[in-house]
């Protein structure tokens, strides 16, 4: 399942905006990235998508379920009403059986409308198609209570990594439909992740061998003993498929990290091995915890909702992430989209970012630049360096504007052959900028060439 296009009318700062999402004929990737300055409307668009999709989640749960509504403050200033239209295509549930049908006929299209109080509304919500699509999934669950469901999740910029609880005070269920719990209104929930992980691991240990028992056997008899090898093989054969999916997803995103687990001694905590050293997860950096929580939550929900699959990470769905680069080291930003598409190949991603590294290192990604309520598609960003993306896409200087102006004047003096003025500017900049500055090194070579020419 994927969103083909959506349209907002008088929502936020947008008068009317019609957006097609990847994959498209020109952009076979399943990733769309929205770029723009603060206040450009990126979050408004993601929230609009989340609002529309909440109705599908609600009606998969119950036939007459209600999703989220537009608030009055979502209506554009000066407008009397607002509308979000979304078109979804689902290959597993054909909208039309005719082979010659118009591509638009294959879309499940529904709209969420809101009128301003005291005004006569000329538009209304239309929810026929969302009920029809939800019916398909409920029929499948009726026929097979383990039938796969699409992941639908929104991770807002306010997402936070909560401290992992030492005690579980409230017992939760983790049935298939619970994969939708808080999926569109809270984002990352490390507390729920820990509770789910602990329950699955307890079940895994009941039918197999725990990590603690294996470690004790290793300490007593060694890893070369027959008893350790037998128990290790028994543990490998009894691995929980859902936990394996989560562990493998985290390992793919975080090289050097492995063996995520719950430890009971000296006190209850979640542990992970980092470059061979065992750490309490709470000891990780904010960026490491953020990455683990985000990836772990996506993998956990996919695992819960795709129980029949040998590899639950192959499940499909729609994932919306606001400021996907939040808290991440540039090295992780650069590989983020590639890892998302490789680890979750059947999920459609709609992302926002302020990082040039995110959008310049992934091929076939559809990038839109938002500016003053308008949308512009940008192509050919793959392989550009970060400075080019900052200048050409994000309309941002690559360095301090005062320094850049003085470097520009230095280059102009050199091009004009004004050696004395160039040497004076060079001397002033050399006192302020760090040794080995690339632009100054180039200028030094040009000054030397000019001096030799004069000589």
């Amino acid at each position: 399942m994927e969103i083909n296009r959506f349209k907002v009318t008088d929502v936020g700062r947008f008068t009317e905006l019609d957006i097609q999402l990847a994959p498209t004929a020109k952009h076979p990737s399943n990733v769309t990235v929205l770029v723009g300055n603060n206040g450009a409307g990126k979050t408004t668009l993601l929230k609009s998508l989340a609002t529309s999709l909440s109705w599908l989640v609600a009606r998969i749960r119950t036939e007459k379920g209600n999703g989220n509504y537009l608030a009055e403050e979502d209506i554009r200033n000066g407008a009397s009403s607002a509308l979000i239209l979304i078109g979804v295509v689902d290959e597993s549930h054909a909208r039309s059986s005719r082979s010659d049908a118009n591509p638009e006929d294959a879309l499940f299209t529904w709209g969420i409308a809101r009128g301003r109080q005291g005004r006569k509304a000329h538009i209304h919500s239309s929810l026929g198609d969302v009920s029809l699509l939800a019916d398909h999934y409920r029929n499948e669950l009726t026929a097979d209570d383990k039938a796969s469901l699409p992941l639908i999740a929104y991770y807002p910029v306010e997402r936070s990594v909560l401290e992992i609880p030492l005690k579980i005070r409230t017992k939760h269920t983790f049935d298939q439909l619970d994969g939708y719990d808080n999926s569109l209104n809270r984002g990352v929930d490390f507390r729920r992740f820990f509770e789910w992980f602990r329950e699955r691991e307890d079940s895994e240990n009941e039918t197999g061998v725990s990590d603690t028992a294996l470690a004790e056997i290793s300490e007593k008899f060694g890893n070369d003993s027959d008893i350790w090898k037998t128990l290790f093989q028994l543990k490998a054969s009894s691995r929980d498929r859902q936990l394996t999916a989560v562990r493998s997803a985290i390992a793919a995103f975080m090289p050097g990290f492995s063996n995520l687990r719950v430890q009971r001694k000296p006190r209850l905590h979640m542990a992970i091995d980092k470059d061979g050293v065992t750490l309490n997860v709470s000891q990780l950096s904010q960026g490491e915890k953020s990455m683990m929580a985000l990836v772990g939550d996506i993998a956990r929900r996919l695992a819960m909702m795709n129980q029949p699959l040998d590899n639950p990470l192959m499940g499909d769905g729609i994932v919306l992430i606001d400021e996907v680069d939040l808290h991440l080291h540039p090295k992780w930003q650069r590989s983020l989209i590639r890892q998302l598409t490789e680890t979750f190949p059947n999920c459609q991603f709609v992302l926002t970012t302020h990082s040039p590294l995110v959008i310049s290192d992934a091929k076939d990604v559809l990038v839109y630049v938002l500016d003053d309520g308008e949308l512009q598609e940008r192509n050919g960003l793959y392989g550009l360096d970060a400075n080019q993306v900052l200048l050409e896409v994000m309309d941002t200087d690559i360095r301090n504007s005062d320094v850049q102006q003085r470097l520009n004047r230095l280059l102009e003096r050199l091009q004009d052959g004004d050696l004395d003025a160039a040497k004076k500017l060079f001397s002033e900049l050399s006192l302020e900028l760090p040794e080995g500055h690339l632009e100054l090194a180039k200028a030094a070579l040009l000054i030397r060439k000019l001096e030799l020419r004069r000589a």
Side-chain angles (χ1 to χ4, degrees), residues 248-250 252-253 295 313-314 338-345:
S248 62
I250 290 173
F253 274 82
V295 174
L313 301 185
M314 299 300 290
R338 175 179 56 80
Q339 288 176 316
L340 282 172
T341 53
E342 288 178 357
T343 308
F344 311 113

Side-chain angles (χ1 to χ4, degrees), residues 212-225 227-228:
T212 303
L214 202 62
E216 290 174 355
I217 294 296
S218 175
E219 191 174 322
K220 188 171 183 179
F221 298 101
N223 291 359
D224 294 329
S225 63
I227 185 172
W228 186 89

Side-chain angles (χ1 to χ4, degrees), residues 55 69-70 82-84 110-114 123-128:
W55 287 84
Y69 293 89
L70 279 166
L83 173 68
I84 307 168
W110 64 93
I112 310 300
R114 174 67 184 253
I123 53 174
H124 302 277
S125 298
S126 54
L127 301 168

Side-chain angles (χ1 to χ4, degrees), residues 118-167:
R119 310 288 177 86
K120 184 172 178 61
H122 298 287
I123 53 174
H124 302 277
S125 298
S126 54
L127 301 168
D129 274 14
V130 71
S131 296
L132 186 61
L133 181 56
D135 281 345
H136 285 305
Y137 284 105
R138 285 204 317 281
N139 288 336
E140 287 201 349
L141 286 174
T142 302
D144 178 4
D145 60 3
K146 296 296 183 183
S148 290
L149 291 171
L151 168 64
I152 299 172
Y154 170 45
Y155 298 95
V157 72
E158 299 88 2
R159 61 186 180 271
S160 61
V161 180
L162 302 174
E163 290 303 316
I164 299 173
L166 296 180
K167 293 182 180 179

Side-chain angles (χ1 to χ4, degrees), residues 72-276:
E72 184 153 342
E73 54 265 29
D74 294 326
I75 303 174
R76 184 178 62 84
N77 291 339
S80 59
S81 58
L83 173 68
I84 307 168
L85 279 174
I86 186 171
V88 171
V89 61
D90 193 325
E91 292 183 358
S92 64
H93 304 302
R95 182 70 175 79
S96 173
S97 59
R98 291 174 50 193
S99 59
D100 61 342
N102 188 306
E104 293 293 323
D105 295 337
L107 296 180
F108 293 88
T109 304
W110 64 93
I112 310 300
R114 174 67 184 253
R116 199 179 292 281
Q117 287 187 354
R119 310 288 177 86
K120 184 172 178 61
H122 298 287
I123 53 174
H124 302 277
S125 298
S126 54
L127 301 168
D129 274 14
V130 71
S131 296
L132 186 61
L133 181 56
D135 281 345
H136 285 305
Y137 284 105
R138 285 204 317 281
N139 288 336
E140 287 201 349
L141 286 174
T142 302
D144 178 4
D145 60 3
K146 296 296 183 183
S148 290
L149 291 171
L151 168 64
I152 299 172
Y154 170 45
Y155 298 95
V157 72
E158 299 88 2
R159 61 186 180 271
S160 61
V161 180
L162 302 174
E163 290 303 316
I164 299 173
L166 296 180
K167 293 182 180 179
I168 298 176
R169 293 181 172 84
T170 305
K171 187 70 174 176
H172 296 286
T173 62
F174 295 105
D175 297 327
Q176 190 173 17
L177 281 169
D178 294 325
Y180 288 130
D181 282 357
N182 299 318
S183 66
L184 288 168
N185 59 11
R186 184 178 295 178
V188 171
D189 186 346
F190 220 153
R191 178 179 294 271
R192 186 65 63 90
F193 175 80
F194 173 77
E195 294 171 0
W196 171 85
F197 196 98
R198 182 182 173 187
E199 181 183 271
R200 299 299 307 184
E201 194 177 69
D202 285 345
S203 176
E204 182 182 63
N205 291 338
E206 284 177 5
T207 58
V209 180
S210 69
D211 286 312
T212 303
L214 202 62
E216 290 174 355
I217 294 296
S218 175
E219 191 174 322
K220 188 171 183 179
F221 298 101
N223 291 359
D224 294 329
S225 63
D226 290 338
I227 185 172
W228 186 89
K229 290 178 180 177
T230 300
L231 291 175
F232 181 80
Q233 290 174 354
L234 179 61
K235 179 176 178 60
S237 64
S238 62
R239 285 281 188 187
D240 182 272
R241 189 159 44 187
Q242 294 186 36
L243 288 183
T244 299
V246 170
R247 290 172 180 138
S248 62
I250 290 173
F253 274 82
M254 304 172 67
F257 289 78
S258 62
N259 196 22
L260 181 66
R261 61 199 181 277
V262 174
Q263 287 191 339
R264 276 80 180 166
K265 297 178 181 179
R267 59 186 177 84
L268 187 66
H269 66 281
M270 183 169 272
I272 193 167
D273 294 339
K274 179 182 179 181
D275 297 324

